[in-house]
Amino acid sequence: MAAKFLTIIALAAFGLTSLAQPASNPDGHPTGGSQPATGAINGRTLFLRNCAHCHGATAHGDDGPDLHDLGFTDDWIANRIRKGKAGQMTAFAGKLKLAEIAALVAYVQSLK
Amino acid sequence: MHNENQKQNTKLIKEVSLAADAVNPNQKTENDGVDRRGFLACMAWAGTGMLWTVAGGTLGSMLLPRRAGAADADSLISKGSFSFVQISDSHIGFNKEVINQNVVGTLKQAIARINAMPVAPDFVLHTGDLTHLASADEFDTVDQLMKTVKTQQVFYVPGEHDVTGDNGKSYLDRFGKNTKGQGWYSFDHSGVHFIGLVNVVDIQQNGLGALGQDQLAWLQADLKDRSSEMPIVVFAHIPLWMVYPEWGWGTDDGAQALTCLKRFGSVTVLNGHIHQTVKKVEGRMTFHTAMSTAFPQPEPGKAPKPGPLKVEAGKLNDFLGITDVNYVEGRSTLAVVDSTLS
């Protein structure tokens, strides 16, 4: 019983930690929010699959700009992801679902 | 940086010339027409255009003449043979002041180079990144420009820039007719089997391309009843082999595709994506990547990032180009010749 109680405390503590700060991958990059559970949308994964070839795997920019400390609102970033920018960035509205865009926004906003 | 690249270009030219000596059909050879020295020794990183000729079991190549109509190129086209041209990474829509603000212009130059060839190629392969942002007007521009190529047909495979925003729907609407799945297909031409693969729709977390199980199963079925003596040409955007995985320059499950091809006597793999010429030979397989018609990228690991490479003013065309491939009946290798736009 004592062991079970300790396990519950440990899980609760893990949950609080997850909410308090973005989870990190082994490479130190944030995962994009508090959704480490299997099946959850992972902003970092989405970023690597869709954005990294222009913004770089570390999001410090390559063909596209550095995404750290952007200083824009969530809505602004989500809109840019959806619509892109003529001549500069692909529009992702035809590919990414709203929840995926939200996860990407969370990831980008976590880049400091 | 430029001097360094010039040295590498010189190195490539030497290596390519070695191979060309061995595959010139006018030359008497007792072997299969292959100069293994030129290819086994060659792992060149450079921005030079290239003409491929394929014949038999190994690969040969020569430097494309700077001016079309030169006798060397003409001599490669003999009775019972054919040639085709590979172009890649036209990135229509790309526009950066210090890199290239006229990618339409450089694609037109590449097309002019093709149209000035002494013998028109039977067809052209475009190995992806037709566009930069996959917008409708970019696709339309590519389509219109490619219609000016003097050839019977243009075959395409998509690059990641062509499919990023919509999983390839716009690309498939325009260029995916008679293809399967995400745009893969095969066809025969004068006894050579050509296979166009798509490895850009499901980019992996590490940046590598992927073919996926559906496409691999199709490939296996496509090859099943073919004679191992039939020359095979595989083309896809991202290199099927691991050129530099640290930058995502390879295909995660590419080895599975190559395993399907192992029993064939002559396999030539043509890719783009890395905007520079790299080639190597492994057994009976020859791997080659083509230059871009839009902008160069750094040599693997020689820059912090793989993005567009700024070159000295007025020297851009030294780093852009096309690839001409020549098949000679009865020979086991294809001759591949790159040429720059300069």
Side-chain angles (χ1 to χ4, degrees), chain B residues 151-164:
Chain B
T151 190
Q152 294 165 26
Q153 195 167 354
V154 181
F155 295 95
Y156 299 90
V157 285
E160 78 281 3
H161 281 264
D162 302 315
V163 304
T164 299

Side-chain angles (χ1 to χ4, degrees), chain B residues 10-123:
Chain B
T10 306
K11 180 186 171 203
L12 176 65
I13 288 165
K14 285 178 181 170
E15 288 164 340
V16 167
S17 296
L18 264 179
D21 291 344
V23 296
N24 186 329
N26 292 337
Q27 193 176 8
K28 300 289 182 192
T29 54
E30 297 301 318
N31 57 24
D32 61 358
V34 170
D35 182 357
R36 290 179 181 273
R37 283 180 308 158
F39 290 99
L40 294 175
C42 185
M43 187 77 171
W45 312 99
T48 311
M50 192 91 182
L51 167 70
W52 286 90
T53 48
V54 183
T58 336
L59 181 76
S61 69
M62 61 172 288
L63 190 69
L64 252 192
R66 281 179 179 257
R67 293 184 182 283
D72 283 349
D74 198 28
S75 69
L76 285 170
I77 314 296
S78 58
K79 194 178 177 184
S81 70
F82 69 92
S83 72
F84 63 94
V85 169
Q86 177 195 6
I87 66 171
S88 200
D89 296 271
S90 45
H91 282 268
I92 295 302
F94 177 89
N95 184 349
K96 285 207 168 165
E97 192 177 349
V98 295
I99 309 289
N100 185 359
Q101 286 190 288
N102 186 13
V103 293
V104 168
T106 48
L107 178 56
K108 282 180 176 174
Q109 286 181 54
I111 291 170
R113 178 64 64 93
I114 297 168
N115 289 346
M117 290 175 70
V119 177
D122 282 13
F123 55 86

Side-chain angles (χ1 to χ4, degrees), chain B residues 102-160:
Chain B
N102 186 13
V103 293
V104 168
T106 48
L107 178 56
K108 282 180 176 174
Q109 286 181 54
I111 291 170
R113 178 64 64 93
I114 297 168
N115 289 346
M117 290 175 70
V119 177
D122 282 13
F123 55 86
V124 170
L125 302 180
H126 193 313
T127 45
D129 280 356
L130 289 63
T131 67
H132 197 57
L133 298 176
S135 67
D137 57 334
E138 291 173 357
F139 278 123
D140 289 344
T141 300
V142 175
D143 193 30
Q144 292 304 312
L145 288 172
M146 295 307 292
K147 281 176 179 165
T148 68
V149 180
K150 290 177 183 169
T151 190
Q152 294 165 26
Q153 195 167 354
V154 181
F155 295 95
Y156 299 90
V157 285
E160 78 281 3

Side-chain angles (χ1 to χ4, degrees), chain B residues 299-318:
Chain B
E299 297 163 42
K302 296 284 181 69
K305 307 165 191 171
L309 179 69
K310 181 187 175 187
V311 297
E312 201 176 308
K315 300 288 185 188
L316 178 63
N317 281 2
D318 293 351

Side-chain angles (χ1 to χ4, degrees), chain B residues 75 77 120 131 176-177 183 215 225 237 270 293 303 317 337:
Chain B
S75 69
I77 314 296
T131 67
K177 194 179 175 187
Q215 188 169 198
D225 296 325
H237 180 64
L270 304 176
T293 67
N317 281 2
V337 178

Side-chain angles (χ1 to χ4, degrees), chain A residues 45 48-50 53-54 60-63 85 87-92 94-95, chain B residues 93-94 96 132-133 160-161 164-167 202-205 305-308:
Chain A
T45 302
L48 289 171
R49 287 174 175 265
N50 295 283
H53 72 275
C54 282
H60 278 292
D62 194 353
D63 185 17
K85 186 176 181 185
Q88 294 186 35
M89 180 174 154
T90 306
F92 284 88
K95 179 177 183 181
Chain B
F94 177 89
K96 285 207 168 165
H132 197 57
L133 298 176
E160 78 281 3
H161 281 264
T164 299
D166 64 357
N167 279 329
D202 187 24
I203 298 290
Q204 303 295 289
Q205 286 190 53
K305 307 165 191 171

